[in-house]
């Protein structure tokens, strides 16, 4: 039902433009501020809230979480509504009702309001990122060996063939499966303004994937320029090897989890990243002290960066390596 709602109708497809000029891009959705106080923190609180918002088709754009000295928790979620109904009283009441059900007596107050430009500006995270993180984790060169923070452990093969079809370029990809694999391929091709006419995807039980894609450029022609072919293959290999960047680092005396993913040219971030991070930390019985989500321009590319300061209390329940491994597995959908 949801797919039918967002797809063009059978009768309107002849008038549907797949590649609209930049000056005809749709208006960006309104951003709303969801603000609530809880009387105490607990393991999994953020994940429970994130899961409710996901089920309601509310997209989290930015989060600020802080814990007061008396133990109370203030959560600020900057969200958009995929259904574009959050401006209505009914939709707001539905959201608050679901949050009350999951937070129970811990919830002190909950409000939803349209976020003005000044409020959104105040929500921006710190512009500072640790130098080691920016230099190593955001390197766009394919490394010769596995580096800390890069997620996929196996090589990716991407080849181009212009002999099989008179009108299309065939791109063949061999790689390991991971959650969001097709998304990572599609967003990369979208950023290069390449159209997919036909495709085949196959994954065996061992998690090995074969992808065949028949492509055209935006002008309807094959990709014959060797430089364009090499650039596309290199970018696909990089995006499939390192779809997200991850590290557990020291922030003064504390421990911070850093996760970053590239932002599409359309301005969209990777779906469900915060949901998966909070799920992994909940599974590891690790509490969150504070959260910042911000966007940073690094190496001429925009990245969405999640900075999660962990609540160590009497010490972390698991080692840093276990936290990094656990979050990585959930993000990538690995067992």
């Amino acid at each position: 039902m949801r797919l039918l709602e967002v797809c063009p109708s059978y009768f309107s497809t002849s008038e549907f433009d797949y590649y609209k000029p930049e000056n005809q891009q749709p208006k960006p959705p309104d951003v709303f501020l969801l603000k609530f106080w809880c009387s105490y923190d607990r393991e999994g609180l953020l994940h429970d809230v994130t899961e409710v918002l996901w089920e309601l088709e509310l997209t989290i754009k930015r989060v600020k979480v802080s814990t007061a000295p008396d133990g109370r928790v203030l959560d600020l979620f900057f969200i958009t509504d995929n259904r574009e109904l959050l401006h209505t009283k009914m939709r707001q009441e539905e959201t608050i009702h679901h949050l009350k059900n999951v937070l129970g007596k811990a919830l002190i107050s909950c409000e939803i309001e349209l976020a003005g430009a000044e409020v959104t500006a105040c929500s921006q995270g710190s512009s500072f990122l640790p130098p080691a993180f920016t230099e190593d984790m955001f390197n766009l060169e394919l490394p010769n060996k596995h580096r800390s923070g890069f997620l996929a452990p196996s090589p990716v093969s991407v080849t181009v063939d212009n002999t099989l079809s008179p009108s299309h370029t065939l791109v063949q990809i061999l790689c390991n499966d991971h959650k969001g694999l097709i998304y990572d391929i599609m967003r990369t091709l979208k950023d290069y303004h390449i159209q997919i006419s036909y495709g085949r995807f196959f994954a065996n039980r061992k998690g090995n994937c074969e992808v065949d894609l028949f492509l055209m450029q935006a002008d309807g022609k094959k990709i014959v320029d060797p430089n364009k072919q090499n650039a596309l293959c290199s970018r696909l290999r990089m995006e499939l090897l390192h779809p997200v960047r991850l590290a557990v680092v020291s922030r003064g005396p504390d421990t911070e989890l850093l996760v970053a993913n590239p932002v599409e040219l359309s301005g969209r971030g990777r779906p469900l990243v915060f949901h998966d991070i909070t799920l992994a930390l909940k599974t590891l019985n690790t509490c969150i002290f504070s959260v910042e989500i911000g966007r940073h321009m690094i190496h001429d590319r925009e990245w969405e960066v999640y900075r999660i300061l962990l609540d160590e209390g009497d010490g972390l329940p698991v080692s840093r390596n276990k936290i990094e491994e656990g979050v990585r597995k959930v993000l990538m959908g690995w067992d």
Side-chain angles (χ1 to χ4, degrees), residues 208-262:
N208 300 317
C209 292
E210 299 177 11
V211 183
D212 296 334
L213 301 172
F214 288 85
L215 312 176
M216 289 192 304
Q217 299 181 113
D219 59 6
K221 298 180 180 179
K222 298 167 70 170
I223 308 170
V224 295
D225 186 337
N227 292 328
K228 290 184 178 180
Q229 292 180 8
N230 291 335
L232 177 61
C233 291
S234 178
R235 175 55 70 88
L236 281 169
R237 281 193 292 268
M238 170 60 73
E239 298 298 347
L240 298 182
L241 277 170
H242 318 310
V244 295
R245 314 296 171 96
L246 183 149
V248 179
V249 300
S250 295
R251 185 174 175 180
D254 303 315
T255 300
E256 184 176 48
L257 171 65
L258 292 166
V259 179
N261 58 264

Side-chain angles (χ1 to χ4, degrees), residues 87-141:
H87 62 281
T88 65
K89 183 179 180 181
M90 181 180 297
R91 181 70 161 156
Q92 292 185 10
E93 289 178 347
E94 177 191 23
T95 302
I96 294 174
H97 173 73
H98 280 79
L99 288 171
K100 285 181 177 178
N101 287 341
V102 74
L103 295 174
K105 296 180 179 179
L107 183 64
I108 299 174
S109 64
C110 183
E111 302 173 5
I112 299 175
E113 61 185 32
L114 186 65
E118 66 283 354
V119 175
T120 305
C122 292
S123 75
Q124 297 288 344
S126 169
S127 60
F128 173 78
L129 288 174
F133 188 69
T134 57
E135 292 174 10
D136 187 43
M137 305 302 294
F138 293 96
N139 192 335
L140 294 180
E141 298 295 327

Side-chain angles (χ1 to χ4, degrees), residues 21-74:
E22 291 185 5
N23 59 357
Q24 294 184 20
Q25 290 297 317
K27 175 182 173 292
D30 291 328
V31 179
F32 290 83
L33 170 60
L34 167 64
K35 177 174 65 175
F36 62 88
W37 280 95
C38 285
S39 56
Y40 58 87
D41 195 6
R42 62 170 173 80
E43 292 177 3
L45 184 147
L46 264 183
H47 174 69
D48 293 342
V49 173
T50 304
E51 192 162 36
V52 167
L53 299 181
W54 172 60
E55 290 173 350
L56 291 171
E57 299 183 62
L58 299 172
T59 300
I60 300 171
K61 309 297 288 186
R62 191 165 284 111
V63 178
K64 292 206 72 171
V65 177
S66 55
T67 304
D70 61 1
R72 293 187 303 160
V73 179
L74 173 62

Side-chain angles (χ1 to χ4, degrees), residues 10 57 103 179 240 264 308:
Y10 174 81
E57 299 183 62
L103 295 174
K179 183 163 62 176
L240 298 182
E264 299 175 31
I308 295 96

Side-chain angles (χ1 to χ4, degrees), residues 237-305:
R237 281 193 292 268
M238 170 60 73
E239 298 298 347
L240 298 182
L241 277 170
H242 318 310
V244 295
R245 314 296 171 96
L246 183 149
V248 179
V249 300
S250 295
R251 185 174 175 180
D254 303 315
T255 300
E256 184 176 48
L257 171 65
L258 292 166
V259 179
N261 58 264
V263 177
E264 299 175 31
L265 290 183
S266 64
R268 294 178 180 271
R270 189 181 188 85
L272 287 178
V273 172
F274 191 60
H275 173 277
D276 290 345
I277 293 172
T278 55
L279 173 60
L281 293 177
K282 179 180 180 180
T283 303
L284 294 168
N285 298 318
T286 301
C287 287
I288 295 172
F289 183 78
S290 66
V291 176
E292 287 184 6
I293 302 177
R295 293 192 172 185
H296 303 262
M297 290 298 298
I298 302 171
H299 298 319
D300 298 323
R301 195 173 185 193
E302 188 175 21
W303 296 80
E304 196 166 53
V305 180

Side-chain angles (χ1 to χ4, degrees), residues 190-208:
K190 181 180 178 183
D191 285 353
Y192 274 80
H193 304 291
I194 290 175
Q195 179 180 344
I196 302 173
S197 298
Y198 310 96
R200 181 186 72 88
F201 175 88
F202 172 76
N204 62 24
R205 293 183 178 180
K206 295 181 179 180
N208 300 317

Side-chain angles (χ1 to χ4, degrees), residues 248 284 316-325:
V248 179
L284 294 168
L316 291 173
V318 294
S319 68
R320 290 186 176 188
N321 288 339
K322 287 290 186 181
I323 291 173
E324 184 173 339
E325 180 184 357

